[in-house]
Amino acid sequence: MAASVRPILSYLFFIEFFVLTLAVNAGWMSKEQYLLVWNNEMQAIFAAVVSFWFGHRTFGRREQT
């Protein structure tokens, strides 16, 4: 169970980004509402999650060679 926490949170961040982008493009919410939810702090967290996964893969490859 403990090993699945990080992947689940990562998937939730991707789903949140997708749903918010879809909501703006479909006209379900305004750009101002989008920016209230998807602010600089959330963007930083999202960037950290993406960097963790892709950075982890890169360093994992270096250790194998």
Side-chain angles (χ1 to χ4, degrees), residues 21-58:
T21 304
L22 179 68
V24 170
N25 290 327
W28 300 332
M29 67 188 307
S30 69
K31 178 83 172 175
E32 291 78 24
Q33 291 171 326
Y34 174 84
L35 292 175
L36 285 174
V37 177
W38 197 252
N39 54 22
N40 288 338
E41 290 81 12
M42 284 296 280
Q43 291 175 13
I45 293 170
F46 186 74
V49 168
V50 170
S51 297
F52 169 78
W53 288 111
F54 287 100
H56 180 70
R57 289 180 61 194
T58 302

